[in-house]
Amino acid sequence: MTDRRGQALVVALTLGVVVGAWEGLARALDVPALPAPSAVVSMAVWLAGEGTLFSDVGASLARVFTGFAAAAVLGLVLGAVGALGGPWTAGLRALVATIRPVPPIAWIPLSILWFGLGDPSAWFIVFVGAFSPIFVQTCWSLQRCDPRWLELAQSVGAGPWLTFRRVRLPAAAPGVVAGLRTGLGLAWTSVIAAELVGAQSGLGYRIQMHRVVVETDGVIVGMVCIGLCGLAMDAAARRLERRLVDWTP
Amino acid sequence: MTRWWMLGAALLVACSGSAPEPQVTASGRTPIRIGWQTTWATQGQLAVALMDTTILEEHGFDATFHGFPYGGPLNEGALAGSVDVLFTADQPAVALGAKARNWGIIGRLMANRVGTFVPPDSPIQTAADLKGRTVVVPFGAAAHRATLGAIERAGLDPGNDVTVANLGLQEIVGLVGAGAADGKWGATDAAAAWDPAFANLEYTGAVRPIDTTTITSVVVMDDRFEAAHPGSNERFMQAMHTAYDFVRTDPDRLAGWFKDKSDLPFDVGVLALAASVEPNLSAQSAAEMRVHLTPDEVKGIEAAADFMHTSGLLRTPANVSSIIRETALQPVVPKLSADAVTVKKVP
């Protein structure tokens, strides 16, 4: 048995034991607060049959990718400016450092006032959630390039652009990609927060609607979908990371 | 290993929604946990009347009050076994009764308003003018049903003629607070909310109502509590009748108590506006008041249940007759009049 197969078996066993215990506990207690996994699956099948499950997953994913793309572009550009733009960029870094601790959900009232209802306000919330880690990681990774490498580049006559392209950027890439991965994860959690309040579709919206009528099994379906989508996105990001920066340990 | 067993036991207790035990307090009275909504008008005056007078003690209860922000979390508190009785609107009551058969409506709580409104300078005068416009409502709330009903009564199709979008109550208040331009709040032409938020916006002139609907809210009790303390549902509704009498005789005083207790950021006139649709508070005598449901009010609750099913909130239709307990339909004979009530403390 290979290591990978062994690991898969351990994961399957763990999941099996947890789900089995959950089913047994739920059947023994028989209370609405703890629906059995079989009830959750039944609700998921019903939602899938109605088409709402797939449309909600699609709506959430579309919002994540739009907001994340904007955050990635601006975070990379401003992160580079913050790292290399000279002393006057201290203000930019201070601004981001001030905004960073504000949770994306706190921006919801303003986003609705600024961007109205619907997707634009959700894109903004996702952008806010994803931007800071991308900016900070880009800035930090470009700044911390080993000075000996820079001196070596200068000693062989490399100009600023060549130094950036051939030395700083490859050195910073693992950190930058890690920032993008963190940003993607936060984008996903942010979109759920945005959809809980002012959306007409999406997994956050569906969870809220199930909460209104105390359909706990529906709430859990939404939570499981969020977990699975987040897992899939992180796996895809890891794969991309390995391709882009194949020297990453 | 012991810690794992303790964790498992704690999980069992937490999930089981612990059933009430037949017990009495040292005073010989029945302990009761009441779930109320901390910012909900009229219900708030009744709750503080129960809290700060001896009404409940006189009816054999030692009460603890648990405040919740709105009906959703209150239902979750009920399912978790944190309350024995709760005050809620028709839709949350139907949702709770449909989900947990041990929860049933034992009486009428109040009539309360939900409204659809526009900016004061909006060209929209009636619901019929909403054609082609955008209306925001908190989906799943009674205001959602009321607004769709107003649109339908105006001869419009809510699915095609009007864009009805979801927005939480707090966000609607924020939207209105940000101010209107050209008769709109951004891209929004109209909105819906319930009292006291609706009354506050109306009272301060921030909005102009185009439709006001009255819905019936109810008192819901855990059957297991009634089984453990037989007759407690009737005693509790007798206490509610006395609380109404107490509020009726001095509504401004009770509005002030509620405002102080919940730290409400608006004028007591707002609470008076919200309470204006409650017939018990305009009754000339206690004999004119009632805390039981009329057939029309039962029909209103059935309409709420139908809406919840047809709008997709509930997978299967709720059987309202199985949610309403027999005591909810019987007139209550009060045991205590308002002038016999002792104030424990002025809030």
Side-chain angles (χ1 to χ4, degrees):
Chain A
M1 191 186 289
T2 64
D3 278 356
R4 188 170 282 191
R5 276 193 179 177
Q7 212 169 16
L9 191 65
V10 169
V11 169
L13 273 173
T14 309
L15 284 175
V17 167
V18 169
V19 172
W22 173 12
E23 181 80 34
L25 189 66
R27 282 176 187 264
L29 294 174
D30 191 25
V31 290
L34 186 68
S38 51
V40 173
V41 170
S42 158
M43 174 60 95
V45 169
W46 182 75
L47 287 170
E50 293 279 300
T52 51
L53 188 62
F54 302 114
S55 63
D56 285 331
V57 169
S60 293
L61 285 174
R63 289 181 188 124
V64 165
F65 288 129
T66 309
F68 174 74
V73 170
L74 215 63
L76 291 173
V77 171
L78 291 180
V81 171
L84 310 171
W88 61 272
T89 56
L92 176 66
R93 292 197 295 272
L95 185 68
V96 175
T98 310
I99 292 172
R100 194 161 62 124
V102 180
I105 198 165
W107 288 89
I108 288 175
L110 286 179
S111 75
I112 290 169
L113 292 171
W114 291 345
F115 302 103
L117 293 166
D119 287 342
S121 61
W123 295 338
F124 176 72
I125 296 298
V126 172
F127 169 83
V128 167
F131 173 77
S132 294
I134 299 171
F135 172 88
V136 169
Q137 274 293 109
T138 304
C139 201
W140 182 73
S141 303
L142 285 171
Q143 273 182 328
R144 71 173 195 139
C145 184
D146 192 331
R148 289 171 304 172
W149 298 351
L150 297 175
E151 282 167 18
L152 186 65
Q154 277 176 345
S155 71
V156 294
W161 173 240
L162 193 64
T163 305
F164 177 77
R165 206 160 51 90
R166 290 291 177 89
V167 181
R168 275 190 189 272
L169 203 55
V176 171
V177 173
L180 286 167
R181 241 183 73 201
T182 309
L184 187 60
L186 288 172
W188 187 236
T189 52
S190 303
V191 78
I192 301 305
E195 288 171 351
L196 283 172
V197 180
Q200 331 302 322
S201 60
L203 290 168
Y205 165 79
R206 195 59 57 190
I207 285 176
Q208 181 61 12
M209 287 301 105
H210 285 298
R211 187 188 183 194
V212 165
V213 289
V214 280
E215 292 271 13
T216 325
D217 39 9
V219 171
I220 295 176
V221 170
M223 290 168 64
V224 169
C225 285
I226 290 167
L228 291 176
C229 288
L231 200 67
M233 278 164 56
D234 193 57
R238 273 177 189 274
R239 207 174 176 134
L240 200 64
E241 184 180 21
R242 278 199 292 271
R243 284 199 171 190
L244 288 175
V245 280
D246 55 3
W247 60 92
T248 306
Chain B
M1 197 63 182
T2 311
R3 275 187 298 172
W4 284 106
W5 281 112
M6 285 169 66
L7 188 66
L11 187 67
L12 266 168
V13 170
C15 292
S16 61
S18 53
E21 293 294 322
Q23 57 181 354
V24 292
T25 60
S27 61
R29 292 188 283 261
T30 309
I32 188 168
R33 300 164 302 165
I34 300 172
W36 71 296
Q37 301 187 37
T38 51
T39 60
W40 198 21
T42 310
Q43 170 255 200
Q45 289 95 304
L46 292 167
V48 291
L50 294 172
M51 265 180 237
D52 295 321
T53 69
T54 55
I55 293 174
L56 284 169
E57 282 90 338
E58 297 281 355
H59 288 83
F61 293 110
D62 271 336
T64 48
F65 286 80
H66 300 273
F68 291 83
Y70 61 97
L74 187 46
N75 275 351
E76 289 161 356
L79 290 184
S82 303
V83 294
D84 304 308
V85 64
L86 54 90
F87 302 151
T88 196
D90 52 8
Q91 284 184 204
V94 168
L96 179 61
K99 193 70 189 173
R101 297 187 191 285
N102 56 303
W103 284 91
I105 296 170
I106 61 160
R108 174 183 178 279
L109 175 65
M110 62 171 179
N112 58 290
R113 307 184 322 152
V114 293
T116 308
F117 46 81
V118 295
D121 59 343
S122 167
I124 297 167
Q125 298 299 323
T126 67
D129 299 331
L130 289 174
K131 185 164 186 172
R133 308 283 190 155
T134 298
V135 188
V136 292
V137 298
F139 275 17
H144 185 197
R145 177 176 102 240
T147 300
L148 296 189
I151 291 168
E152 281 170 352
R153 285 195 302 279
L156 302 178
D157 176 359
N160 293 316
D161 294 332
V162 184
T163 303
V164 182
N166 176 41
L167 195 62
L169 179 69
Q170 293 307 319
E171 285 66 36
I172 288 175
V173 172
L175 190 69
V176 174
D182 301 325
K184 299 172 84 164
W185 297 296
T188 302
D189 298 284
W194 55 88
D195 283 341
F198 168 48
N200 186 41
L201 296 173
E202 184 185 358
Y203 187 82
T204 55
V207 303
R208 175 164 47 80
I210 57 167
D211 180 79
T212 304
T213 304
T214 302
I215 65 159
T216 303
S217 294
V218 290
V219 180
V220 184
M221 187 178 268
D222 188 340
D223 289 340
R224 296 173 299 179
F225 180 80
E226 163 61 19
H229 308 285
S232 54
N233 52 11
E234 193 183 340
R235 274 193 291 139
F236 191 80
M237 291 316 296
Q238 284 176 323
M240 288 299 293
H241 196 286
T242 303
Y244 252 125
D245 199 18
F246 189 69
V247 176
R248 180 185 67 86
T249 50
D250 198 350
D252 291 343
R253 181 187 185 200
L254 269 295
W257 286 11
F258 174 43
K259 178 177 155 53
D260 292 344
K261 177 85 69 184
S262 290
D263 203 16
L264 298 175
F266 41 67
D267 196 279
V268 287
V270 170
L271 299 178
L273 177 60
S276 61
V277 293
E278 171 48 53
N280 283 345
L281 297 180
S282 55
Q284 296 304 306
S285 68
E288 287 179 25
M289 299 191 318
R290 62 178 175 83
V291 287
H292 69 277
L293 295 167
T294 63
D296 278 349
E297 286 169 336
V298 172
K299 276 184 193 163
I301 297 169
E302 285 168 347
D306 287 345
F307 167 78
M308 291 169 79
H309 178 54
T310 53
S311 64
L313 285 169
L314 286 179
R315 268 202 292 177
T316 51
N319 180 3
V320 171
S321 62
S322 72
I323 297 170
I324 297 177
R325 302 291 176 263
E326 192 57 35
T327 50
L329 307 171
Q330 306 297 329
V332 165
V333 180
K335 182 181 147 188
L336 193 69
S337 65
D339 49 17
V341 169
T342 305
V343 176
K344 284 194 286 194
K345 56 171 183 177
V346 176

